[in-house]
Protein backbone atom coordinates (compact mmCIF):
# COMPACT_ATOMS: atom_id res chain seq x y z
CA UNK A 1 0.00 0.00 0.00
CA UNK A 2 1.20 3.54 -0.82
CA UNK A 3 -0.04 6.75 0.83
CA UNK A 4 -0.18 9.92 -1.28
CA UNK A 5 -0.38 13.45 0.11
CA UNK A 6 -1.64 16.52 -1.73
CA UNK A 7 -2.79 20.04 -0.79
CA UNK A 8 -6.10 21.28 -2.21
CA UNK A 9 -6.06 25.08 -2.54
CA UNK A 10 -9.18 27.28 -2.57
CA UNK A 11 -9.88 29.70 -5.41
CA UNK A 12 -11.18 33.25 -5.69
CA UNK A 13 -12.76 34.90 -8.71
CA UNK A 14 -11.06 38.25 -9.29
CA UNK A 15 -13.44 38.73 -12.21
CA UNK A 16 -16.49 36.71 -13.23
CA UNK A 17 -18.67 37.33 -16.26
CA UNK A 18 -21.59 35.21 -17.53
CA UNK A 19 -21.70 35.48 -21.32
CA UNK A 20 -24.86 33.53 -22.08
CA UNK A 21 -26.62 30.18 -21.96
CA UNK A 22 -25.32 27.33 -24.12
CA UNK A 23 -27.31 24.70 -25.96
CA UNK A 24 -26.28 22.11 -23.34
CA UNK A 25 -27.99 24.18 -20.62
CA UNK A 26 -24.75 25.43 -19.06
CA UNK A 27 -23.48 29.01 -19.29
CA UNK A 28 -20.35 30.34 -20.94
CA UNK A 29 -18.15 32.10 -18.40
CA UNK A 30 -15.13 34.33 -18.50
CA UNK A 31 -13.26 34.62 -15.23
CA UNK A 32 -9.83 35.52 -13.88
CA UNK A 33 -9.27 33.04 -11.06
CA UNK A 34 -6.65 32.90 -8.33
CA UNK A 35 -5.65 30.11 -5.97
CA UNK A 36 -5.07 31.12 -2.34
CA UNK A 37 -3.38 29.53 0.65
CA UNK A 38 -6.60 28.36 2.39
CA UNK A 39 -6.48 24.62 1.76
CA UNK A 40 -7.86 21.18 2.45
CA UNK A 41 -5.43 18.30 2.98
CA UNK A 42 -5.88 15.10 0.99
CA UNK A 43 -4.41 11.67 1.78
CA UNK A 44 -4.96 8.70 -0.52
CA UNK A 45 -4.08 5.09 0.28
CA UNK A 46 -3.57 3.22 -2.99
CA UNK A 47 -3.64 -0.59 -2.99
CA UNK A 48 -5.69 -1.19 0.15
CA UNK A 49 -7.10 -4.41 -1.31
CA UNK A 50 -10.51 -3.31 0.02
CA UNK A 51 -13.59 -1.57 -1.44
CA UNK A 52 -13.16 2.14 -2.06
CA UNK A 53 -13.75 4.38 0.95
CA UNK A 54 -13.82 8.14 1.54
CA UNK A 55 -13.50 9.80 4.95
CA UNK A 56 -14.06 13.51 5.52
CA UNK A 57 -13.61 15.73 8.58
CA UNK A 58 -16.82 17.60 7.63
CA UNK A 59 -19.67 15.23 8.46
CA UNK A 60 -22.17 17.22 6.38
CA UNK A 61 -20.45 16.27 3.10
CA UNK A 62 -21.15 13.04 1.15
CA UNK A 63 -18.57 10.26 1.44
CA UNK A 64 -19.55 8.22 -1.62
CA UNK A 65 -19.51 8.70 -5.40
CA UNK A 66 -21.38 12.03 -4.96
CA UNK A 67 -18.18 13.52 -3.53
CA UNK A 68 -16.11 15.15 -6.30
CA UNK A 69 -12.89 13.67 -4.89
CA UNK A 70 -14.32 10.15 -5.31
CA UNK A 71 -15.62 11.05 -8.76
CA UNK A 72 -12.16 12.36 -9.75
CA UNK A 73 -10.46 9.12 -8.68
CA UNK A 74 -13.03 7.11 -10.62
CA UNK A 75 -12.63 9.24 -13.79
CA UNK A 76 -8.83 9.00 -13.61
CA UNK A 77 -8.74 5.24 -13.08
CA UNK A 78 -11.29 4.49 -15.81
CA UNK A 79 -9.76 6.88 -18.36
CA UNK A 80 -6.19 5.70 -17.74
CA UNK A 81 -7.26 2.05 -17.41
CA UNK A 82 -5.62 1.73 -13.98
CA UNK A 83 -6.83 -0.60 -11.25
CA UNK A 84 -5.59 0.78 -7.91
CA UNK A 85 -6.64 -2.42 -6.08
CA UNK A 86 -8.56 -0.48 -3.46
CA UNK A 87 -8.52 3.22 -2.52
CA UNK A 88 -9.09 5.16 0.66
CA UNK A 89 -9.37 8.96 0.38
CA UNK A 90 -9.15 11.06 3.54
CA UNK A 91 -10.05 14.77 3.42
CA UNK A 92 -9.33 17.32 6.15
CA UNK A 93 -11.64 20.24 5.30
CA UNK A 94 -10.71 23.87 5.91
CA UNK A 95 -12.24 25.49 2.82
CA UNK A 96 -15.81 26.40 3.81
CA UNK A 97 -18.60 24.78 1.77
CA UNK A 98 -21.13 26.87 -0.14
CA UNK A 99 -18.70 29.76 -0.27
CA UNK A 100 -17.85 30.09 -3.97
CA UNK A 101 -14.27 29.07 -3.18
CA UNK A 102 -14.22 25.79 -5.10
CA UNK A 103 -13.69 23.50 -2.09
CA UNK A 104 -15.03 20.31 -3.68
CA UNK A 105 -13.30 21.10 -6.97
CA UNK A 106 -10.01 21.71 -5.18
CA UNK A 107 -10.29 18.30 -3.51
CA UNK A 108 -11.01 16.64 -6.86
CA UNK A 109 -8.06 18.41 -8.48
CA UNK A 110 -5.75 17.29 -5.66
CA UNK A 111 -6.85 13.67 -6.17
CA UNK A 112 -6.12 13.93 -9.92
CA UNK A 113 -2.67 15.44 -9.31
CA UNK A 114 -1.78 12.83 -6.67
CA UNK A 115 -2.88 9.83 -8.77
CA UNK A 116 -1.19 11.24 -11.88
CA UNK A 117 2.09 11.58 -9.93
CA UNK A 118 1.70 8.10 -8.43
CA UNK A 119 1.42 6.54 -11.89
CA UNK A 120 4.48 8.33 -13.27
CA UNK A 121 2.75 11.45 -14.65
CA UNK A 122 1.26 10.00 -17.83
CA UNK A 123 -0.73 13.23 -18.30
CA UNK A 124 0.60 16.77 -18.62
CA UNK A 125 -0.93 19.41 -16.34
CA UNK A 126 -3.15 20.70 -19.17
CA UNK A 127 -4.25 17.17 -20.15
CA UNK A 128 -5.04 16.48 -16.48
CA UNK A 129 -7.04 19.72 -16.33
CA UNK A 130 -8.96 18.58 -19.42
CA UNK A 131 -9.77 15.33 -17.64
CA UNK A 132 -10.94 17.36 -14.65
CA UNK A 133 -13.62 18.98 -16.81
CA UNK A 134 -15.48 15.64 -16.65
CA UNK A 135 -15.71 16.05 -12.87
CA UNK A 136 -16.77 19.69 -12.48
CA UNK A 137 -16.51 23.16 -14.02
CA UNK A 138 -13.95 24.55 -11.53
CA UNK A 139 -11.79 21.41 -11.46
CA UNK A 140 -9.62 22.27 -14.52
CA UNK A 141 -8.53 25.57 -12.96
CA UNK A 142 -7.94 23.94 -9.57
CA UNK A 143 -5.64 21.39 -11.29
CA UNK A 144 -3.65 24.24 -12.86
CA UNK A 145 -3.67 26.73 -9.98
CA UNK A 146 -2.00 30.14 -9.82
CA UNK A 147 -3.56 32.98 -11.80
CA UNK A 148 -5.46 32.14 -14.99
CA UNK A 149 -8.15 33.23 -17.42
CA UNK A 150 -10.90 30.61 -17.42
CA UNK A 151 -13.47 30.45 -20.22
CA UNK A 152 -16.24 28.25 -21.61
CA UNK A 153 -17.65 26.00 -18.92
CA UNK A 154 -14.29 26.21 -17.17
CA UNK A 155 -12.39 23.92 -19.55
CA UNK A 156 -10.48 26.65 -21.46
CA UNK A 157 -7.50 27.90 -19.46
CA UNK A 158 -4.79 30.45 -20.11
CA UNK A 159 -2.04 31.20 -17.60
CA UNK A 160 -1.72 34.85 -16.58
CA UNK A 161 1.08 36.72 -14.77
CA UNK A 162 1.15 35.98 -11.04
CA UNK A 163 -0.98 38.05 -8.68
CA UNK A 164 1.13 40.80 -7.05
CA UNK A 165 2.11 40.15 -3.44
CA UNK A 166 -0.83 40.93 -1.15
CA UNK A 167 -3.00 39.59 1.66
CA UNK A 168 -6.59 38.38 1.28
CA UNK A 169 -9.20 38.39 4.01
CA UNK A 170 -12.05 36.01 3.23
CA UNK A 171 -15.32 36.07 5.20
CA UNK A 172 -18.00 33.39 4.81
CA UNK A 173 -21.38 34.45 6.25
CA UNK A 174 -23.86 31.89 7.61
CA UNK A 175 -25.96 31.61 4.48
CA UNK A 176 -25.15 29.90 1.18
CA UNK A 177 -26.57 30.46 -2.30
CA UNK A 178 -28.08 27.94 -4.72
CA UNK A 179 -25.88 28.18 -7.81
CA UNK A 180 -28.54 26.88 -10.27
CA UNK A 181 -31.09 29.39 -8.91
CA UNK A 182 -28.54 32.19 -9.23
CA UNK A 183 -27.90 31.34 -12.89
CA UNK A 184 -31.65 31.45 -13.50
CA UNK A 185 -31.78 34.93 -11.95
CA UNK A 186 -28.81 36.23 -13.93
CA UNK A 187 -30.63 35.27 -17.14
CA UNK A 188 -33.54 37.52 -16.13
CA UNK A 189 -31.82 40.65 -14.79
CA UNK A 190 -29.95 43.50 -16.44
CA UNK A 191 -26.26 43.30 -15.55
CA UNK A 192 -25.19 46.80 -14.43
CA UNK A 193 -21.44 46.27 -14.84
CA UNK A 194 -19.31 43.63 -16.51
CA UNK A 195 -15.62 42.94 -15.83
CA UNK A 196 -12.96 44.57 -17.96
CA UNK A 197 -10.81 41.47 -18.28
CA UNK A 198 -8.33 43.20 -20.59
CA UNK A 199 -7.71 45.86 -17.92
CA UNK A 200 -7.29 43.10 -15.31
CA UNK A 201 -4.71 41.33 -17.49
CA UNK A 202 -2.85 44.62 -18.01
CA UNK A 203 -2.82 45.22 -14.24
CA UNK A 204 -1.46 41.72 -13.59
CA UNK A 205 1.19 42.13 -16.28
CA UNK A 206 2.31 45.41 -14.67
CA UNK A 207 2.24 43.88 -11.17
CA UNK A 208 0.03 46.81 -10.14
CA UNK A 209 -1.92 45.69 -7.05
CA UNK A 210 -4.00 48.88 -6.94
CA UNK A 211 -5.14 48.37 -10.54
CA UNK A 212 -5.89 44.68 -9.88
CA UNK A 213 -8.07 45.69 -6.92
CA UNK A 214 -9.76 48.43 -8.95
CA UNK A 215 -10.76 45.92 -11.63
CA UNK A 216 -12.43 43.36 -9.35
CA UNK A 217 -15.87 42.63 -10.79
CA UNK A 218 -18.31 39.73 -10.35
CA UNK A 219 -21.68 39.92 -12.12
CA UNK A 220 -23.24 37.72 -9.42
CA UNK A 221 -22.26 40.09 -6.60
CA UNK A 222 -25.08 42.69 -6.95
CA UNK A 223 -27.68 39.95 -7.52
CA UNK A 224 -26.81 38.17 -4.26
CA UNK A 225 -26.16 41.38 -2.31
CA UNK A 226 -29.64 42.71 -3.19
CA UNK A 227 -31.14 39.75 -1.29
CA UNK A 228 -28.51 39.50 1.46
CA UNK A 229 -27.68 43.01 2.60
CA UNK A 230 -25.25 41.76 5.24
CA UNK A 231 -22.73 41.38 2.42
CA UNK A 232 -22.70 45.18 2.30
CA UNK A 233 -21.88 45.23 6.02
CA UNK A 234 -18.93 42.86 5.51
CA UNK A 235 -17.69 44.93 2.56
CA UNK A 236 -18.02 48.20 4.50
CA UNK A 237 -15.91 46.83 7.37
CA UNK A 238 -13.23 45.74 4.89
CA UNK A 239 -13.31 49.12 3.16
CA UNK A 240 -13.24 51.11 6.42
CA UNK A 241 -10.13 49.33 7.68
CA UNK A 242 -7.85 49.60 4.69
CA UNK A 243 -8.96 47.15 1.99
CA UNK A 244 -8.04 48.20 -1.53
CA UNK A 245 -11.30 46.62 -2.75
CA UNK A 246 -13.70 43.82 -1.83
CA UNK A 247 -16.29 41.63 -3.53
CA UNK A 248 -18.06 38.28 -3.44
CA UNK A 249 -16.31 35.27 -4.99
CA UNK A 250 -17.97 32.83 -7.39
CA UNK A 251 -21.69 32.40 -6.80
CA UNK A 252 -21.13 33.27 -3.13
CA UNK A 253 -21.54 33.63 -0.36
CA UNK A 254 -17.95 34.40 0.73
CA UNK A 255 -16.65 37.95 0.39
CA UNK A 256 -12.94 38.61 -0.03
CA UNK A 257 -10.92 41.78 0.40
CA UNK A 258 -7.48 42.64 -0.95
CA UNK A 259 -5.20 44.18 1.68
CA UNK A 260 -1.72 45.63 1.14
CA UNK A 261 -0.19 43.96 4.22
CA UNK A 262 -0.81 41.60 7.13
CA UNK A 263 -1.33 44.38 9.70
CA UNK A 264 -4.35 45.76 7.85
CA UNK A 265 -5.68 42.23 7.31
CA UNK A 266 -5.42 41.43 11.03
CA UNK A 267 -7.48 44.51 11.91
CA UNK A 268 -10.20 43.59 9.38
CA UNK A 269 -10.28 40.04 10.78
CA UNK A 270 -10.66 41.33 14.33
CA UNK A 271 -13.54 43.57 13.30
CA UNK A 272 -15.39 40.71 11.57
CA UNK A 273 -14.70 37.68 13.75
CA UNK A 274 -17.29 38.38 16.47
CA UNK A 275 -20.15 38.23 13.96
CA UNK A 276 -18.54 35.87 11.45
CA UNK A 277 -16.56 32.92 12.84
CA UNK A 278 -15.48 31.83 9.33
CA UNK A 279 -12.91 34.55 8.63
CA UNK A 280 -9.58 33.68 7.05
CA UNK A 281 -6.32 35.41 6.15
CA UNK A 282 -4.65 34.06 3.01
CA UNK A 283 -1.99 34.76 0.40
CA UNK A 284 -1.96 34.09 -3.35
CA UNK A 285 -0.34 30.76 -4.31
Amino acid sequence: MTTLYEAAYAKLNLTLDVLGKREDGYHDLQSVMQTISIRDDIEIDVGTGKPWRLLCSDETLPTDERNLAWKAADVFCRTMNRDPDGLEIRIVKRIPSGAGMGGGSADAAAVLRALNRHYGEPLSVLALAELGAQVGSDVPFCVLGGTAMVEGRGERLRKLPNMPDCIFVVCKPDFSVSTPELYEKIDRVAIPQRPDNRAMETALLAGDLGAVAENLCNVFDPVVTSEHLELNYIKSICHSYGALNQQMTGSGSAVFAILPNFEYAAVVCNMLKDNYPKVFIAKPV
Side-chain angles (χ1 to χ4, degrees), residues 30-276:
Q30 195 174 48
S31 176
V32 176
M33 294 192 191
Q34 175 66 50
T35 42
I36 59 171
S37 55
I38 300 168
R39 69 173 213 227
D40 296 343
D41 285 328
I42 310 292
E43 291 183 7
I44 307 171
D45 289 341
V46 182
T48 61
K50 298 175 183 175
W52 285 27
R53 192 162 81 130
L54 189 147
L55 306 170
C56 183
S57 63
D58 183 342
E59 294 177 359
T60 66
L61 297 177
T63 54
D64 54 18
E65 59 275 1
R66 291 171 297 163
N67 190 295
L68 292 186
W70 182 306
K71 190 174 177 183
D74 182 53
V75 164
F76 182 89
C77 291
R78 281 192 293 102
T79 303
M80 303 307 295
N81 199 23
R82 304 281 187 173
D83 179 5
D85 186 30
L87 275 183
E88 179 170 294
I89 301 170
R90 295 181 293 280
I91 305 174
V92 177
K93 289 296 292 180
R94 296 186 192 88
I95 304 169
S97 300
M101 297 170 67
S105 299
D107 297 344
V111 168
L112 290 174
R113 284 196 304 268
L115 289 174
N116 194 50
R117 190 173 64 245
H118 175 68
Y119 287 112
E121 301 193 333
L123 296 176
S124 68
V125 171
L126 287 176
L128 197 63
E130 202 173 300
L131 188 63
Q134 296 180 38
V135 182
S137 297
D138 286 336
V139 177
F141 169 73
C142 291
V143 168
L144 181 68
T147 314
M149 172 65 76
V150 181
E151 296 182 274
R153 259 189 68 198
E155 78 282 2
R156 300 209 314 271
L157 304 172
R158 181 164 52 86
K159 267 289 206 186
L160 295 176
N162 290 338
M163 177 88 185
D165 193 35
C166 68
I167 302 288
F168 294 106
V169 170
V170 186
C171 178
K172 165 68 172 71
D174 285 341
F175 72 91
S176 292
V177 179
S178 162
T179 303
E181 284 179 21
L182 191 53
Y183 274 103
E184 280 181 29
K185 282 178 191 159
I186 206 84
D187 287 334
R188 298 196 305 266
V189 301
I191 295 174
Q193 184 184 359
R194 292 186 182 273
D196 186 341
N197 282 313
R198 185 170 291 181
M200 178 61 84
E201 284 197 46
T202 302
L204 289 166
L205 193 60
D208 184 340
L209 183 62
V212 169
E214 194 178 309
N215 282 288
L216 295 184
C217 185
N218 177 353
V219 296
F220 286 132
D221 187 320
V223 180
V224 176
T225 302
S226 68
E227 296 186 0
H228 299 277
L229 294 178
E230 68 177 298
L231 294 188
N232 278 334
Y233 170 75
I234 295 168
K235 292 175 198 169
S236 70
I237 293 290
C238 296
H239 177 72
S240 299
Y241 291 94
L244 300 176
N245 205 351
Q246 52 283 317
Q247 77 172 13
M248 192 181 77
T249 179
S251 54
S253 60
V255 169
F256 71 93
I258 297 178
L259 286 301
N261 58 48
F262 182 82
E263 287 71 24
Y264 280 102
V267 172
V268 170
C269 264
N270 272 330
M271 298 307 296
L272 288 170
K273 68 181 182 185
D274 286 345
N275 291 324
Y276 300 101

